[in-house]
Amino acid sequence: MASEAERRPQGMFECQLCALSAPYSYVGQKPPDTRSVVLLEESYILKDPFTADRDKFLVLGSRCSVCSRLVCVGPECSLFYSKRFCLPCVRENIAAFPQEIRQDVEKRKALAKMPHVKP
Amino acid sequence: MPPPRTREGRGHRDHHRAPHEEETPERWDWNHPETRRLLEDTFFRDEEYIRQGSEECQKFWAFFERFQRFQNLKTARKEEQDPGPPKHSIPALADLPRTYDPRYRINLSVLGPDTRGSREPGRRLPPERVAEFRRALLHYLDFGQKQAFGRLAKLQRERAALPIAQYGKRILQTLKEHQVVVVAGDTGCGKSTQVPQYLLAAGFSHVACTQPRRIACISLAKRVGFESLSQYGSQVGYQIRFESTRSAATKIVFLTVGLLLRQIQREPSLPQYQVLIVDEVHERHLHNDFLLGVLRRLLPQRPDLKVVLMSATINIALFSSYFGGAPVVQVPGRLFPITIVYQPPEVEPATAKSEKLDPRPFLRVLEAIDNKYPPEERGDLLVFLSGMAEISAVLEAAQTYASHTQRWVVLPLHSTLSVADQDKVFDVAPPGVRKCILSTNIAETSVTIDGIRFVVDSGKVKEMSYDPQAKLQRLQEFWISQASAEQRKGRAGRTGPGVCFRLYAESDYDAFAPYPVPEIRRVALDALVLQMKSMSLGDPRAFPFIEPPPPASLETAILYLRDQGALDGTEALTPIGSLLAQLPVDVVIGKMLVLGSTFHLAEPVLTIAAALSVQSPFTRSAQSNPECAAARRPLESDQGDPFTLFNIFNTWVQVKSERSRNSRKWCRRRGIEEHRLYEMANLRRQFKDLLEDHVLLAGTEAPRPGDSYSRLQQRRERQALYQLKRQHEEGAGRRRKVLRLQEEQDGASSDEDRGATADQDSCDSVDIQDVKFKLRHNLEQLQAAASSAQDLSRDQMALLKLVLGRGLYPQLAVPDPFNSGCKDSDQIFHTQTKQGTVLHPTCVFAGSPEVLHTQEPESRASDGSRDDKDKMSSKHQLLTFVSLLETNKPYLVNCVRVPALQHSNNVYDRDFEELGHVIVGPEGYTELKVQDDFLEEWRDLRTKGRVPKGWRWKGQIQTSNREQGRGLQEQLDPGADGVSESTSHHILSLFPQVPYSLRRLTGLEVQNLYVGPQTITAAPSLPGLFGSSTLSPHPSKGGYTVTDFLTYNCLTSDTDLYSDCLRTFWTCPHCDLHMPFTPLERITHENTCPNAPQGGSPGAEEADPEPLQKASALQRPYHCETCQKDFMFTPTEVLRHRKQHV
């Protein structure tokens, strides 16, 4: 259980938009125990809780590159397009994004309005 | 690290279907094993995120194929060239890629082969292919991230949606202000899974949560571990009797109430916990009620300990007020509306009152559902019945109906089903078909089945009750309580609106008791009282139970424990008592274990004790299946049921050690539930450890294989086993299967076969139970014990029976004298408390009662009468039994036959007359009378048949903690008395030919059996006869207490034969003295004979003090006013005495 100790949660990650919270064990671009995968943003990372494999990680979220809010990677809160953007910032600056992203954001809005998909 | 460049314009087109179009010289085929191997060698090496050959690797390739297809479709569309937005003023937005590419949506990157250090395989791959592969891999990883995050988000959403989620803060706040908080919430509110997590989140790190059932501990630990994202960590664990996942890092542990009580027994202040959650307190289990009492006393001493009581919304005020008005946080349940339909059965004709349940009202409900609800509307039916007989009655009828309509799959659910059959209720029915689950009240609280829309409530329950007077357990049918009825109803509304059919009238419901009777009022309290004593809780009568048990039950238990030597005269725990308190078994079984180890019969007794402490391993179907019965026959023992179980266990161990894979099949063929045998093995191990801890057993040195090679071999084997176990656990989670219509008609055995093959498919033919068994036990040791058991000598066997008989005493039954003339089913037996009991149908003697009959052709006294009444024989037998259970008849369960006179003389409490007259039983109910012609011989033999000291342990030793354990052992050690196998041989070879009669005394006879209390002027003083021990008159029976289990001269005899004229000539075997002796004089001589061998003088314990006066039936205590003296006088003597004063 040595690895257990190494992986002690460093703190609680909490999304500033949807309040999703989970303990994270690492912040950075190079998840521990993984050599060949690197992250393209400073991420809050948790060991993937749904697998016994110790090397598997799960990215919880990161800071919006516009407003620096800490947001989760959930589609209702943020998107990644070479950088992390929270959805409010995307909407505010929607013109800066290519067509595909614009469409995508529209789609998400529609989805979020449906009653059974709770944010 | 720059994002890897991709060339999607080309890569996607050349998938394996068109390799020849490829401009690369070699044919390129993504599906080619060699291609894949090359890529895997490059990207999926051992230290990589995905490893070659892993399940993940397979998943990737499946993804890869889908991904390729998808890319093909997509690029078939026109690729739009977006000119891109103008440069932005916000820096973060200013350098966005000009051209959109899905790749930019992914927040991670995979290193290419070149950055991994160029290796041979990587260089042989064309760079475009590598790029293509990397791209797919990237998408695969991104997909994995999305999936996992989706699960996490869903989990949190679900948790937040639970009714209790809004109360979390309030619960924590209340707990901060109070020591005890009651959380009341109905099924589905989430209290059991959420409250521990709230505590964890609030920073508590030593939380215990008790559950009434083991299975709940495991499933809750799993669920809470999953929800708190530490499914594979160790902060959430469970601890049950034989299994624990607890470690130093564990913050929440789910454990059974019994286990927590044992922890309190060891450490009364429970220092290891900060918070204690006691779940399901409303169920009112014996242990839970007891725990509450213990906690109430403990709380003032542990002001820092917090307690959360969790309950359904039943009788909350009781718990709150018991803890001084503890605050209650009430949480609404999450139930959909349920329609109640009262459907009392029409009044049946009183004449047709058969014992079998009428299934028609139940079929009517099935029919009504079929008529009213279209089959597309899913929703299963749960039927609550009182017991197994009722389930089979309805099962039969419902199956006929189901085969007719093809719209139902009917499944039974009760605790004696095999585990595999129980699991079937969780499987799903095919479309258009509903499950109909026929269940006992097990589905009321213990088992929760999803998808139930309809409930049928029979309103009945079969419950065990305890009769302290008759010391008998009774399984009776009762109306349920209103609380149970509500609970049953609630099962219909867990997943949607439901309907509850109540097969009784609303007026019946109104007449139901509000709550069920708590267990403490229904069971024997022996074990509870013993545990209370060992926890130093003082007088059980004064214990502040939340609702006190019936005083009679307490008194019976205390008296019983005193009789058994667990408590002394002042009701203090004896050393043996404290040992028994640590054995997690009935007192009788505990006694057996202690005796067994003192008589060097530990191995067989361990097995038998374990076998008698688990549920019967015989499956129900096996009873009716003649093939199973035939296969089992060679294992049956005509000595009694415990020996049959003994044989089964031993043979099973042999089967396991020879060909372990087949043990499951071996069991199935014989109608044995293998799970019970695993439990036996576990229990046996636990008993052994406990006995070793108390130095009653010498620690076993495991036979270590000498050479390093075999040690290595062994280590490898164990490692392989661990590997298997891990694999099983990782792939854990039984997948739901789709049930087949008509499945049940095939009978259980073929079902299990099917189940077994399915299991084998799913878990690689690993029998995980077998793996666990091998990891936990030393099979070699077990096998050695098993094979030595198979060649127990006749003497050892007889001694084993003595041990069992002593352990089970006073649970013995006398066969009715007319049994030999009756047919098998009419054989009756009389116990001390209950007349006319019968053998349980599973009992080995039920099929062959003739082995219990006294077969002696030359019976002299019976004069041609065909029964055994007053028959003189040397072969009378008694039945000693483990439990007495009354259902429709009183049944003797788990019987052993024992030779009557030998056992009466050696191991049972008894009262003696010198005239070949033995009365057995604490209150005296069985009489053995030796035939007159053999009186001399009997007397002679009797004095030899001394009772080994080891049979008795009362109040001899002061402590039994580990340091002084040796002392305990010495005290118990029969070796000091020279009891060994040869002694048992000696005991049993006594009386081989002495004919005697055996009969149960009538109540009236018992009343007049004893001379009664007497006031005797002087204790018999025969100096030297008993050494230092003094004889005291027996307070109730009269006569003298020779030892605590032998009273002499207390019986009323019809003739006054004790006189000097009974002197007979006798020659002392040691000093050859030849002269006339009374029996007493003879014993006195034997005791003091200078030539007698050392080491226990004959008759030391049984010698009879001659009272100063001759015993006479007419003598009564007489107090003379004039001379102020007490006498024993006959009326004539009184007159004579009075005359002196005149």
Side-chain angles (χ1 to χ4, degrees), chain B residues 900-960:
Chain B
L901 189 59
Q902 284 85 339
H903 273 235
S904 302
N905 252 310
N906 290 296
V907 293
Y908 296 155
D909 291 323
R910 61 202 185 277
D911 304 312
F912 262 117
E913 269 290 348
E914 188 54 24
L915 297 171
H917 193 169
V918 187
I919 302 291
V920 181
E923 304 290 318
Y925 90 104
T926 305
E927 180 195 61
L928 284 77
K929 226 170 187 171
V930 171
Q931 194 179 316
D932 291 353
D933 320 4
F934 286 84
L935 266 182
E936 262 318 292
E937 192 183 334
W938 181 72
R939 254 178 224 151
D940 200 42
L941 289 166
R942 190 174 64 74
T943 51
K944 289 188 199 147
R946 286 169 299 115
V947 179
K949 204 160 148 199
W951 293 123
R952 282 285 154 178
W953 51 46
K954 265 190 201 175
Q956 305 213 341
I957 322 117
Q958 296 314 307
T959 59
S960 75

Side-chain angles (χ1 to χ4, degrees), chain B residues 136 219 241 327 333 349 395 472 505 530 548 665 671 703 797 833 977-978 986 991 1031:
Chain B
S219 58
R241 188 137 96 175
L395 185 71
L472 149 132
L530 189 60
K665 205 168 163 193
M797 188 68 180
T833 48
D977 259 25
H986 167 72
F991 321 112
L1031 295 175

Side-chain angles (χ1 to χ4, degrees), chain A residues 19-55:
Chain A
L20 173 136
S21 68
Y24 65 88
S25 48
Y26 172 82
V27 186
Q29 290 188 284
K30 191 87 194 68
D33 297 326
T34 0
R35 287 199 200 166
S36 51
V37 179
V38 290
L39 294 162
L40 304 178
E41 55 179 340
E42 284 274 313
S43 311
Y44 285 76
I45 287 168
L46 168 72
K47 181 216 156 297
D48 183 350
F50 305 111
T51 163
D53 195 336
R54 290 193 280 127
D55 306 346

Side-chain angles (χ1 to χ4, degrees), chain B residues 1011-1033:
Chain B
V1011 291
Q1014 303 174 17
T1015 325
I1016 293 165
T1017 41
S1021 53
L1022 291 165
L1025 179 54
F1026 297 104
S1028 57
S1029 70
T1030 49
L1031 295 175
S1032 52

Side-chain angles (χ1 to χ4, degrees), chain A residues 62-76:
Chain A
S62 59
R63 293 198 178 274
C64 169
S65 46
V66 177
C67 67
S68 304
R69 253 191 292 217
L70 191 57
V71 286
C72 74
V73 299
E76 289 87 10

Side-chain angles (χ1 to χ4, degrees), chain B residues 16 26 82 343 412 504 516 670 784 876 911 921 929 1084:
Chain B
H16 66 276
E26 323 107 72
D82 196 330
Q343 212 165 292
Y504 43 87
R670 284 156 186 79
H876 285 294
D911 304 312
K929 226 170 187 171
T1084 317

